[in-house]
Amino acid sequence: MIPKLSLLVLLGSLAAAQTSTLKEVENIYPQAQKFYIDVHEHPELSGQETETASKLAAGMRRAGYEVTEHVGKTGVVALLKNGDGPTVMLRTELDGLPVEEKTGLSYASKARMKDDAGHDVPVMHACGHDLHMAALLGAADIMAQTKNTWHGTLMLVGQPAEESIGGAEAMLKDGLFTRFPKPDAAVALHVSNEYPAGIVAITPGVYNTNSDSVRVTIYGKGGHGAMPQATIDPIVIAARTILSLQTIASREVRPGEMAVVTVGYIRAGTKNNIIPDEADMGLTVRTRKAEVRRQVLESITRITKAEAVAAGAPREPLVEHYEGTDLVYNNPALAERLRAPLEAALGKSNVVTAEPITPSEDFSFFTEQGVPGFYFSLGGADPQRYAEVRAGGTRLPSNHSPLFAPDLEPALKTGIEAEVAVLRNLLEGTSADLKKYHD
Ligand SMILES: [Zn+2]
Ligand SMILES: [Zn+2]
C-alpha cells in the first residue's frame, strides 16, 4: 500500500511533469512553427529532399547535435550523447508528394519539381511529413536543453523517400546501424485527420499492412481494329484478368483475413482502330499475415498466366514484384509501457487505443534489424471541425489529399510533447532494460 503522503507527492510530481513539458513546448514552439511553415512552403519529392535535409541538419546542429548528412543519399543522422544508457532512435520522413495544394492557406506550397520520369509536377507536403520534421526538431531542442531528465544517446533520423518505399532501406545499406550506434528502440509517429489534434493513438501489435507492388505486362498480337481474327487482343485479356483478380480476396482468401488487390492503372493502345501488342497493369496488394501475403501473390501470378493461356497469347505475361514493405509491428509490452508517460503528459483521455490501419510504411526496415519499435498516431484535425463532420456522417480530407492541412498549433505541440514524454521514458535505466522488448 502506498502511504497517503507519498501518493500526494507522486501525484504532485506527475502534475509537475505535465506542466513542465507544456512550458518547455511553449518556449520552443515559435521556432518549431517557423520551421514547419518553411518546409511546408518548400516541399521536395522522394529522393530529392536536398534543401529539406540541409534545413533539418542545420536545426539539429543549432540544438547541439553531432550531425551527418547524405546517409542513404539525402538522409540525416544526428546524435546527442548524454552519458551511459540506452540508444533511442526517433525518425521523421523528409519527402512531399506530387500533389497540387488546394488548402488556400497563406503558406500553401506553390512548388513544382521534375519527378523521376522527368515530368514537371506540383509538390505538396500532403502526408504531413513537414509536421513530423517540426515535431522532431522541437523535441530535439527540449531534449538538448534538459539533459538532466535523461541519459544515454538520442539518435535522430531524417529519412528520405518514404513515399516511394526505399529510403529506410537505403539508409540501412549506407550503414545507419553500423556507422552509427544501433538503437535499443526506435520511435516514430504519423499525423492524420482520423483524430482531433490533442490526441495520440496507440496500436499495440500490428499497426498497418504488408504492401506489395506488382507490375504485369500482357503480350498479345497487334493488328487492325476491324480484323480481330488476325490478332490476339491484350486489352481483352487484361480486362478478364482484372475481373479474375477480384476473386482472390472474395473467393480464395479465408473470409475474415485481410487482403486487398487493387489494379491502380492499366495502359494499352494508341488509337481506336488499332489492337495493340501489349497491355500493362500496376497492382497494389495489402495483407497482414505472411501466409496470406504469399497466397495472394501466388494467385496473382497464376491467374494472370492462366488468362493469357486461355486467350492463346503468344507469350507468357511478365509479372514483376518490384517493391514491397512489411507491416509495422508495435511490440505490445513496449506500447503498454509507453502509455503511462503519454497519459501523464497529455492527460488520460487524450491517449486512445486504435485498430490497425491499411496504408503502409517502410519503418519496418528499421525494426526488422532487431530493434523494438513504437509507432503511434497523432491527431491532426481541428477538434471543432472534426466533431462537425463526424456528426454529419462525413470525413475530413485524408493524407495525400490536396486539402490535407493539420490544425497546426495543437497538433504540433502535442507531437512535441508526446515525443519528449516517450523519449524521456525510454532514455532512463539501461539498454538491457529495453532488451526484453525484442520480438
Ligand atoms: Zn504518405
Ligand atoms: Zn506519410
Side-chain angles (χ1 to χ4, degrees), residues 93 127 129 162-163 190:
E93 318 86 324
C127 203
H129 298 173
E162 184 279 323
E163 294 290 356
H190 210 298

Side-chain angles (χ1 to χ4, degrees), residues 2-10:
I2 304 170
K4 242 191 196 142
L5 182 65
S6 59
L7 188 64
L8 279 177
V9 171
L10 184 71

Side-chain angles (χ1 to χ4, degrees), residues 5 344 385 404:
L5 182 65
R385 288 267 299 125
F404 181 73

Side-chain angles (χ1 to χ4, degrees), residues 12-189:
S13 68
L14 270 180
Q18 193 168 340
T19 46
S20 78
T21 323
L22 244 182
K23 222 169 124 216
E24 287 163 353
V25 174
E26 294 291 346
N27 287 340
I28 55 93
Y29 182 74
Q31 221 171 300
Q33 181 180 304
K34 199 167 152 236
F35 180 86
Y36 172 87
I37 289 176
D38 182 15
V39 288
H40 185 89
E41 271 192 292
H42 304 101
E44 292 173 299
L45 290 174
S46 305
Q48 304 186 45
E49 311 92 334
T50 49
E51 293 299 313
T52 308
S54 74
K55 283 173 196 168
L56 188 66
M60 290 161 163
R61 268 191 203 103
R62 247 193 326 270
Y65 289 70
E66 188 188 307
V67 180
T68 309
E69 290 181 72
H70 311 293
V71 181
K73 205 171 161 196
T74 50
V76 184
V77 181
L79 295 173
L80 189 60
K81 292 181 183 138
N82 185 24
D84 289 341
T87 297
V88 175
M89 165 177 152
L90 176 65
R91 175 271 214 160
T92 178
E93 318 86 324
L94 305 176
D95 48 348
L97 284 160
V99 173
E100 186 176 349
E101 179 157 1
K102 291 178 182 157
T103 59
L105 290 165
S106 60
Y107 51 87
S109 162
K110 295 179 192 70
R112 298 190 71 86
M113 282 183 97
K114 285 233 186 323
D115 69 11
D116 290 341
H119 301 126
D120 178 66
V121 293
V123 193
M124 172 189 178
H125 267 298
C127 203
H129 298 173
D130 46 357
L131 194 126
H132 303 170
M133 284 185 264
L136 175 136
L137 212 47
D141 272 330
I142 294 175
M143 294 300 282
Q145 289 162 13
T146 57
K147 281 173 129 176
N148 59 327
T149 64
W150 61 280
H151 58 91
T153 300
L154 178 53
M155 177 181 186
L156 307 173
V157 171
Q159 183 212 305
E162 184 279 323
E163 294 290 356
S164 55
I165 301 291
E169 197 180 9
M171 289 192 84
L172 286 167
K173 281 192 174 145
D174 199 11
L176 181 63
F177 290 169
T178 49
R179 285 162 60 196
F180 307 95
K182 183 172 169 179
D184 297 298
V187 178
L189 58 69

Side-chain angles (χ1 to χ4, degrees), residues 156-284:
L156 307 173
V157 171
Q159 183 212 305
E162 184 279 323
E163 294 290 356
S164 55
I165 301 291
E169 197 180 9
M171 289 192 84
L172 286 167
K173 281 192 174 145
D174 199 11
L176 181 63
F177 290 169
T178 49
R179 285 162 60 196
F180 307 95
K182 183 172 169 179
D184 297 298
V187 178
L189 58 69
H190 210 298
V191 67
S192 80
N193 275 337
E194 290 299 306
Y195 305 96
I199 289 204
V200 298
I202 298 177
T203 308
V206 170
Y207 175 78
N208 60 4
T209 59
N210 302 308
S211 169
D212 293 282
S213 300
V214 179
R215 197 160 38 217
V216 173
T217 311
I218 293 166
Y219 300 102
K221 188 177 157 202
H224 203 293
M227 297 175 67
Q229 74 278 18
T231 72
I232 292 172
D233 188 342
I235 294 183
V236 173
I237 303 175
R240 280 200 204 120
T241 306
I242 291 166
L243 290 180
S244 295
L245 292 174
Q246 302 314 307
T247 63
I248 297 174
S250 68
R251 302 288 82 184
E252 294 190 17
V253 172
R254 191 167 70 83
E257 296 290 2
M258 196 275 175
V260 175
V261 179
T262 294
V263 178
Y265 70 81
I266 162 164
R267 288 187 198 121
T270 51
K271 193 173 183 300
N272 64 322
N273 63 354
I274 300 172
I275 292 170
D277 259 343
E278 280 181 31
D280 301 322
M281 305 193 297
L283 280 65
T284 190

